[in-house]
Amino acid sequence: MQASQLDFIPILMQIALAAGFVSMTIWVSGKLGPKKSTKIKDSTWECGLESLGSARIPFNVKYFLVAILFVLFDVEVIFLYPWAVNFLELGWDGLLKMGIFLFIILLGLLYEFKKKGLEWD
């Protein structure tokens, strides 16, 4: 099946419509929005508190370690959900494979507990 250039016209029209909508929304909000600029409005605030010091403060490595571990165990849940939905169709073979998967994840969790990777100082 060959595609002619005329088949791409609806796609180009959709891209143009989306770009036009975004451009018009930004332009209209700039024209209708308030223009009053004061020192208090232009100051930097975060969570209702005035910012003090530099924003370049280094984070503790433990923060990143816990974040990576969260993503790791979150991916585990992503793999568990389809397995649980299709549990009956997979049978004993699926149960064995998921058992091996969970055993490997459990070994990783035990390793993290041993290395005290989840403890805050």
Side-chain angles (χ1 to χ4, degrees), residues 58-71:
F59 283 98
N60 190 352
V61 175
K62 294 265 187 185
Y63 172 78
F64 296 107
L65 179 64
V66 170
I68 290 171
L69 290 173
F70 173 77
V71 170

Side-chain angles (χ1 to χ4, degrees), residues 65-119:
L65 179 64
V66 170
I68 290 171
L69 290 173
F70 173 77
V71 170
L72 174 74
F73 291 108
D74 195 40
V75 169
E76 174 192 358
V77 172
I78 292 171
F79 283 117
L80 279 174
Y81 183 72
W83 172 76
V85 170
N86 297 318
F87 178 72
L88 293 177
E89 289 90 18
L90 295 174
W92 289 104
D93 187 44
L95 182 64
L96 177 67
K97 290 176 182 175
M98 188 51 69
I100 293 170
F101 175 72
L102 289 175
F103 179 72
I104 293 171
I105 294 293
L106 182 65
L107 284 178
L109 183 62
L110 292 174
Y111 177 78
E112 287 303 319
F113 280 133
K114 180 181 174 188
K115 293 291 184 178
K116 298 182 181 178
L118 299 176
E119 293 181 10

Side-chain angles (χ1 to χ4, degrees), residues 8 19 35 90:
F8 293 104
K35 308 267 188 302
L90 295 174

Side-chain angles (χ1 to χ4, degrees), residues 41-59:
K41 273 179 97 174
D42 292 338
S43 65
T44 305
W45 288 76
E46 183 177 350
C47 301
L49 301 172
E50 189 174 349
S51 298
L52 300 174
S54 174
R56 304 284 184 228
I57 300 170
F59 283 98

